[in-house]
Amino acid sequence: LARELHDMPPPRAIKLGLLPAPLVVPVLREVATRGAPVVLDPVLVASDGGDLGGSADALRAALADMSEATWLVTPNRGEAAALAGAGPDDPGLLAALAARLGRAAVLLKDGHGRDPTRVRDEVWLSGQVHTLARPRVAGPDPRGTGCALATAIACGLAQGLAPLAAIERATAWLDAARTRWLAGPDGRPHLPRA
């Protein structure tokens, strides 16, 4: 795997999702050498609650060594709590996670928040908190929104956008895409392909 990553052309940005525990350290070490912005969606369990082999301990330990200034980690509240060793409703969750991750930026997603009318994502960049509050998009919660958001942010970074601008543009795109959900082959809502 490391050889395949090494043989790829230089990336302009990298998006990572689920990494099974045995691959966390080698993949993150190789990616850290690429010199490109990295967006990590720290998937620990499937959206239906299934165990995917992810490990908060392995990911947290690896990120402690990989906290490059170019890294952005995009957890939901449950993932952030597991990585920070805190509760998902802890008001200091973002600060606790940022402290655990060193210099990495954090987008704490609030898609499953308690407010039925508003979403309040929080971004930690260079020690400053930026709040992205907006009306909650009505309708079902399509599968893959976390992956799609992280990918859209990486695309913005690859196009040269500053991190906050990339996050804001990707969030607006996802909010619009969620309104066009389609029934997938599993009968659950999915994001449209285009």
Side-chain angles (χ1 to χ4, degrees):
L1 181 61
R3 185 174 60 233
E4 289 175 15
L5 287 171
H6 186 70
D7 291 343
M8 290 181 180
R12 296 168 106 182
I14 299 168
K15 182 266 182 181
L16 294 173
L18 171 69
L19 291 173
L23 294 180
V24 168
V25 171
V27 169
L28 293 187
R29 278 197 182 133
E30 180 59 32
V31 166
T33 68
R34 304 303 292 209
V38 178
V39 181
L40 174 63
D41 180 18
V43 179
L44 298 176
V45 295
S47 55
D48 62 6
D51 182 4
L52 298 173
S55 164
D57 290 339
L59 191 54
R60 186 172 45 243
L63 285 169
D65 294 333
M66 300 297 149
S67 299
E68 301 294 332
T70 56
W71 283 59
L72 171 65
V73 183
T74 64
N76 59 35
R77 294 195 76 79
E79 293 160 344
L83 291 170
D89 296 324
D90 183 339
L93 180 58
L94 179 60
L97 180 58
R100 275 283 187 63
L101 299 182
R103 294 180 296 154
V106 177
L107 166 60
L108 179 56
K109 300 177 294 191
D110 185 43
H112 299 287
R114 293 183 177 175
D115 186 338
T117 63
R118 306 276 303 161
V119 175
R120 190 173 182 270
D121 295 336
E122 294 179 297
V123 182
W124 179 280
L125 286 170
S126 303
Q128 291 188 314
V129 176
H130 306 268
T131 302
L132 306 179
R134 59 202 185 280
R136 187 172 295 281
V137 175
D141 187 24
R143 297 195 67 190
T145 54
C147 178
L149 179 62
T151 301
I153 294 168
C155 289
L157 294 172
Q159 293 169 347
L161 292 178
L164 187 58
I167 292 167
E168 290 172 334
R169 186 173 83 176
T171 300
W173 167 81
L174 181 60
D175 285 348
R178 290 184 72 235
T179 66
R180 299 186 312 274
W181 66 272
L182 304 168
D186 58 1
R188 295 191 270 184
H190 288 252
L191 291 171
R193 290 189 181 268

